[in-house]
Amino acid sequence: MFLSRTPVLPTPEQALRGRAEPEFAVPERHTVLGNPLVGPYPEGLEVADFALGCFWGAERKFWQTEGVWTTLVGYQGGLTPNPAYEEVCSGLTGHTEAVRVVFDPSKVSYESLLKLFWESHDPTQGFRQGNDVGTQYRSAVYTHTPAQAATAESSREAYQRVLTGSGYGTITTEMLPADDTRPFYPAEPYHQQYLDKNPAGYCGIGGTGVSCPIGVAKADD
């Protein structure tokens, strides 16, 4: 089933069992921004989680953004506790490749991060991004507050209108709360800031070329 042409998410019965504790320690600091990767984070910062295909290129998009304090990549939205990369790639954990973005809302808004998210990938492709095929490459937004959830839903509706006008299909992006049922598991150390360590490494991130209207009206006020 998981080697078929069309990937499918595993059921709880099919998912790998995983492990009670991670098998590795997360690096202490971001190789570009210099700040800690894991919390607790300084007061006043907020957390946002996005999945938009291969997390190597996706993370770079966010760490290059003014107002982002730190980023780290991991696995989210699945069934297997503390998964390993090879397990996620098997399709038997149900996770996405996700990016956790810790940001200063006085310097960059959540709306601006959503705009970057939408414009950095094609959210209509289902279980793939470009040549990357698999359930782990699906598009998702995991929200941390009711305000984030409302803003994300509104942004999806707005972007759907402009995508439809440009000939694209229906957005397949998941929007779910980042609660205890969807914990964020940091990925292995070599994945963290991968494209800083390997500047010529594979990226795989590419948008539709359609501008997202989110934040534009606010910016023009």
Side-chain angles (χ1 to χ4, degrees):
M1 174 174 60
F2 298 101
L3 297 178
S4 64
R5 183 180 296 272
T6 303
V8 294
L9 287 169
T11 66
E13 295 72 26
Q14 295 165 335
L16 299 177
R17 294 182 62 183
R19 51 201 57 83
E21 299 292 335
E23 295 184 325
F24 51 85
V26 179
E28 182 178 353
R29 293 189 176 272
H30 198 285
T31 62
V32 178
L33 301 175
N35 293 319
L37 292 189
V38 298
Y41 302 114
E43 185 177 353
L45 300 182
E46 296 182 13
V47 177
D49 295 332
F50 303 101
L52 53 156
C54 177
F55 52 20
W56 293 344
E59 185 188 19
R60 182 170 61 181
K61 289 282 188 181
F62 288 104
W63 88 52
Q64 291 175 336
T65 301
E66 181 70 24
V68 169
W69 191 80
T70 200
T71 61
L72 66 158
V73 297
Y75 313 115
Q76 198 165 11
L79 299 167
T80 301
N82 294 295
Y85 181 63
E86 293 77 11
E87 294 171 338
V88 172
C89 290
S90 76
L92 290 170
T93 75
H95 290 90
T96 60
E97 292 192 13
V99 182
R100 172 151 289 181
V101 181
V102 183
F103 65 101
D104 183 344
S106 70
K107 296 180 179 179
V108 61
S109 68
Y110 184 61
E111 291 89 344
S112 296
L113 296 178
L114 281 166
K115 180 178 173 67
L116 177 62
F117 164 76
W118 292 121
E119 293 180 355
S120 296
H121 75 303
D122 182 347
T124 70
Q125 293 191 326
F127 293 148
R128 62 184 289 257
Q129 275 300 303
N131 293 327
D132 293 329
V133 179
T135 57
Q136 73 271 29
Y137 299 118
R138 68 190 186 275
S139 175
V141 178
Y142 302 106
T143 58
H144 287 260
T145 65
Q148 281 192 2
T151 301
E153 291 284 356
S154 177
S155 75
R156 179 168 58 182
E157 293 172 6
Y159 200 42
Q160 182 67 73
R161 288 193 291 270
V162 296
L163 284 177
T164 299
S166 298
Y168 284 87
T170 301
I171 289 174
T172 58
T173 303
E174 294 179 350
M175 290 197 173
L176 299 166
D179 56 22
D180 291 342
T181 67
R182 298 174 194 87
F184 179 95
Y185 296 106
E188 291 81 348
Y190 74 92
H191 289 301
Q192 307 299 336
Q193 298 87 63
Y194 180 85
L195 290 181
D196 177 54
K197 304 167 187 172
N198 303 275
Y202 174 75
C203 177
I205 293 296
T208 61
V210 179
S211 178
C212 178
I214 302 308
V216 174
K218 182 175 181 179
D220 291 340
D221 288 345

